[in-house]
Amino acid sequence: MRLRAIGRTAAGAALAVAATLLVVVGPAEAGPAHTATGHRWITDDQGRALVLTGLNTASSAKSRPDGLPWIKEADVQRESDVLGSGFVRFLIQWRNVEPRPGEYDDGYLAQVAERVRWYGARGYRVMLDLHQDVYGPKVKGNGAPEWATENEGLPVAEQGQWELKYIEPGTVRAFDNFWGTRTASRDLRAHYAAAWAHVAARFADDPAVLGYDLMNEPFGGSVQGPAFEAGPLAALYRQTIAAIRKVDHDSWIFVEPEAVSTNWGLPSALPYLTDPRGDGPEARIAYAPHLYPLAMDLGGGYTGDAEKWVDRTLTSWREQTEKTAERLGAPVLIGEYGLAPACPAHCATWPRCGPWPTTWARARRTGPTTPDPGLLGTRT
């Protein structure tokens, strides 16, 4: 959630940090789809296990009217040449997918597809992320279209720490109407699932598209914790999974937990989600939590009491992530993390996040001077 630049390094040192992270995470070769401990892997169409590293692209998509990142094809080439990555979490916006109720902007999806082709031509695998922060622009966030934002005229004040806008009256009311905690003027969750189905139909046969991240950092409005995750969030996921599977039988579907607690290593209450394509190895539902130890999230370092706090968070986060992944029967993809690897001491935290089959995506693309691994500690 936090857009805090931890710091820049010289280009050579930054690239060394990035290379270190790729080694710590593990090789990108295909391997068996299950480990000796029974953990699942994300697999390709031939059933080969994938370990992927890459970037989130991009924060600019949140605020630009066209809902697209700033990147050009040359930037994708540079990303491949400099970082050697092979995965991207590509942000798209509901407001651009469905600008009016039931009407989809296929021109927008064509522009997304063009950028997906840039990545696919270089061997990348792309996860499309229908991104939101603070619900949508009408309540000073990003994601949802104005017509789907029923805040009932309640206010949203600007905040120095932007995450605090989540608890503003207008934001809470918009989420409550979306989740059905209150009765909205239309079935917003049905619109959301149908929008995803439209996107999936467009990309079902695209070999570069690995799958779909259903919602970034879900927030329950006035309903939080297990009541939210096991209730309206799970219900939306089931509805959306079913809608996607009608048009795309094979792509991976990624589900995120409630961010407020799980980002900090607290338990998730997400229940098992059935995949219409089958159970066990046939299912392609993956768990995609984020990791933000609170001490670092607030801009702290990795020394003294903060180091102890971060260590406890990482230990708890790993334990809770394993428990949830086991309950879901799912492999793990870490779509965002905030360990500030631009600071060398923070690299010591990485081994404590594994080892188990995991895909990592990190770094916020901010402009034509990026990708800069020195900004790996910023939030998407």
Side-chain angles (χ1 to χ4, degrees):
M1 294 179 180
R2 176 169 300 281
L3 292 172
R4 180 189 296 274
I6 302 299
R8 293 180 181 269
T9 62
L15 293 178
V17 170
T20 300
L21 291 180
L22 295 176
V23 171
V24 171
V25 170
E29 300 92 37
H34 289 75
T35 67
T37 60
H39 293 113
R40 290 196 64 198
W41 292 75
I42 295 169
T43 53
D44 64 13
D45 289 339
Q46 299 180 54
R48 300 175 300 179
L50 301 172
V51 178
L52 306 172
T53 56
L55 305 178
N56 281 275
T57 301
S59 282
S60 55
K62 302 177 187 180
S63 57
R64 285 173 48 135
D66 63 6
L68 295 167
W70 60 268
I71 61 166
K72 305 298 183 184
E73 187 169 9
D75 300 304
V76 177
Q77 184 62 53
R78 178 170 174 255
E79 180 178 333
S80 177
D81 293 342
V82 174
L83 296 182
S85 53
F87 174 76
V88 62
R89 182 177 181 241
F90 192 96
L91 279 62
I92 59 176
Q93 294 275 294
W94 183 16
R95 62 182 167 87
N96 295 94
V97 173
E98 190 180 7
R100 290 166 295 281
E103 297 181 18
Y104 304 110
D105 187 345
D106 290 326
Y108 171 65
L109 294 181
Q111 293 183 80
V112 172
E114 179 184 19
R115 286 150 181 80
V116 169
R117 283 194 298 272
W118 297 346
Y119 282 103
R122 292 158 179 83
Y124 277 74
R125 298 178 190 275
V126 180
M127 179 176 73
L128 297 176
D129 163 40
L130 197 56
H131 205 89
Q132 72 81 32
D133 297 294
V134 196
Y135 195 80
K138 187 178 178 182
V139 287
K140 302 180 180 179
N142 68 87
E146 183 170 347
W147 63 262
T149 308
E150 299 195 9
N151 62 321
E152 302 177 22
L154 293 179
V156 178
E158 288 292 351
Q159 298 288 341
Q161 186 166 318
W162 70 266
E163 296 98 325
L164 293 177
K165 290 188 289 186
Y166 270 104
I167 58 176
E168 283 290 307
T171 308
V172 172
R173 184 61 55 87
F175 275 109
D176 282 350
N177 278 312
F178 176 82
W179 294 116
T181 306
R182 294 176 59 87
T183 302
S185 65
R186 52 172 61 92
D187 189 341
L188 297 173
R189 297 177 306 288
H191 275 280
Y192 194 86
W196 255 126
H198 191 81
V199 172
R202 174 64 178 80
F203 291 97
D205 297 323
D206 192 319
V209 174
L210 178 67
Y212 315 112
D213 188 351
L214 298 189
M215 180 179 286
N216 178 68
E217 298 194 339
F219 180 74
S222 63
V223 179
Q224 296 291 315
F228 169 58
E229 288 190 302
L233 181 59
L236 176 71
Y237 283 163
R238 293 187 184 103
Q239 184 176 10
T240 308
I241 290 167
I244 288 174
R245 283 292 180 245
K246 290 179 180 178
V247 298
D248 185 342
H249 184 258
D250 294 324
S251 294
W252 283 89
I253 297 175
F254 299 89
V255 295
E256 297 189 28
E258 178 185 60
V260 173
S261 54
T262 54
N263 284 8
W264 303 333
L266 298 175
S268 169
L270 269 183
Y272 179 78
L273 300 166
T274 301
D275 189 340
R277 79 188 304 275
D279 292 323
E282 295 301 315
R284 288 192 173 180
I285 305 293
Y287 181 50
H290 296 174
L291 169 59
Y292 287 105
L294 188 57
M296 290 182 173
D297 201 19
L298 296 175
Y302 186 59
T303 59
D305 290 340
E307 179 179 351
K308 296 175 184 177
W309 190 354
V310 170
D311 287 348
R312 286 194 296 269
T313 298
L314 293 176
T315 298
S316 177
W317 184 90
R318 178 184 175 182
E319 290 174 354
Q320 296 302 330
T321 297
E322 290 208 40
K323 287 179 181 178
T324 305
E326 182 178 1
R327 182 170 66 251
L328 298 179
V332 175
L333 181 146
I334 304 174
E336 297 181 26
Y337 65 84
L339 294 179
C343 303
H346 293 180
C347 292
T349 65
W350 275 92
R352 299 169 202 172
C353 299
W356 80 89
T358 309
T359 294
W360 307 76
R362 192 58 197 131
R364 178 174 63 97
R365 282 181 168 274
T366 54
T369 60
T370 56
D372 177 2
L375 290 178
L376 284 167
T378 65
R379 286 226 182 194
T380 297

